[in-house]
Amino acid sequence: MEILGASLRICVDDIETAVPFYERLSGGRAQRFERGGVQVAAVGSFLLMSGPESELEVLRKVVATIAVKDVDAAHRLLDDLGARILAGPVATPAGRNLLAMHPDGSLFEYVDQLRG
C-alpha cells in the first residue's frame, strides 16, 4: 500500500465562512462535494465538513483521512494486519474509500482517486 498523504478532518458549523479562511491559509482552492447530507470541502491538507449533528457525530470519530494509491491494496494490507473494515470500499464523488478500525481502536478513512 502506498500512502500519498493525510488530511486533517475538521467539523465546522458554517462551511461557507470556513472555506475562505482555509483557502487563504493553504494557498489553494476548495474542492467541494456533498455526501449523505454533509457538505465537504477539501482544501490543501484540510477536510472541512458541515451538516446535521447526527452525521457529524460519526465523522468526528475518524482520526484522519489517509490518501492511498489504491484502496483495494489498502484493504488487503489492513485485513492482513488485523484491522476491521467497517465500510467499503465504496465509490464516492472523489474516488473510492473505506473505513477501517485499527487493532488499537483508532478509526481511519482510506481514500483513492480511482473511479470504480
Side-chain angles (χ1 to χ4, degrees), residues 8-60:
L8 304 169
R9 300 168 62 91
I10 304 168
C11 295
V12 298
D13 291 330
D14 183 354
I15 202 162
E16 298 306 322
T17 300
V19 164
F21 173 84
Y22 284 95
E23 284 180 333
R24 296 222 30 223
L25 182 66
S26 69
R29 301 287 304 162
Q31 295 180 336
R32 295 176 180 234
F33 58 93
E34 182 177 335
R35 181 143 186 230
V38 174
Q39 296 293 317
V40 179
V43 188
S45 294
F46 302 99
L47 189 62
L48 309 175
M49 299 171 286
S50 183
E53 184 55 37
S54 59
E55 296 291 329
L56 294 179
E57 181 181 359
V58 173
L59 297 173
R60 283 188 178 101

